[in-house]
């Protein structure tokens, strides 16, 4: 189930989500963070993001919920470094 949008927007007052996508085109993975998972997934599949535009369609594989946007951003950075 996709969590509802976080209250407070991207200003650090609401929850943040780290998500893992998999391209159905070639199996490539993508990690990102957001406060509104459904909106972001729609954006990726609509071609609104540079990297993901070339590999549409995307499938949501995993979601982590974090208490704050800052925690989500830090987790995304950790995952992208590995």
């Amino acid at each position: 189930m996709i969590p509802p949008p976080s209250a407070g927007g991207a200003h650090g007052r609401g929850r943040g989500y780290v998500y893992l996508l998999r391209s159905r085109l070639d199996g490539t993975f993508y990690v990102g963070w957001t406060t509104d998972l459904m909106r972001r997934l729609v954006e990726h599949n609509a071609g609104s993001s540079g990297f993901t535009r070339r590999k549409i369609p995307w499938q949501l594989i995993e979601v982590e919920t974090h208490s704050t946007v800052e925690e989500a951003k830090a987790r995304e950075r950790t995952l992208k470094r590995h």
Side-chain angles (χ1 to χ4, degrees):
M1 184 168 126
I2 296 178
S6 177
H11 301 291
R13 293 187 304 265
R15 286 190 183 139
Y17 303 98
V18 175
Y19 58 93
L20 175 64
L21 303 178
R22 183 178 178 272
S23 170
R24 290 185 179 170
L25 180 68
D26 66 1
T28 302
F29 289 98
Y30 178 84
V31 174
W33 76 271
T34 187
T35 58
D36 185 340
L37 195 54
M38 181 58 78
R39 174 190 52 82
R40 195 65 182 123
L41 184 57
V42 168
E43 288 173 354
H44 283 298
N45 279 309
S48 300
S49 178
F51 176 80
T52 59
R53 178 181 304 126
R54 300 180 307 259
K55 298 171 185 263
I56 294 170
W58 291 91
Q59 177 183 10
L60 182 64
I61 300 296
E62 187 69 40
V63 178
E64 293 180 357
T65 302
H66 296 272
S67 300
T68 66
V69 170
E70 289 77 15
E71 287 176 12
K73 287 180 184 181
R75 176 68 170 148
E76 179 206 31
R77 280 190 302 271
T78 298
L79 291 171
K80 285 188 172 183
R81 277 189 232 133
H82 291 94

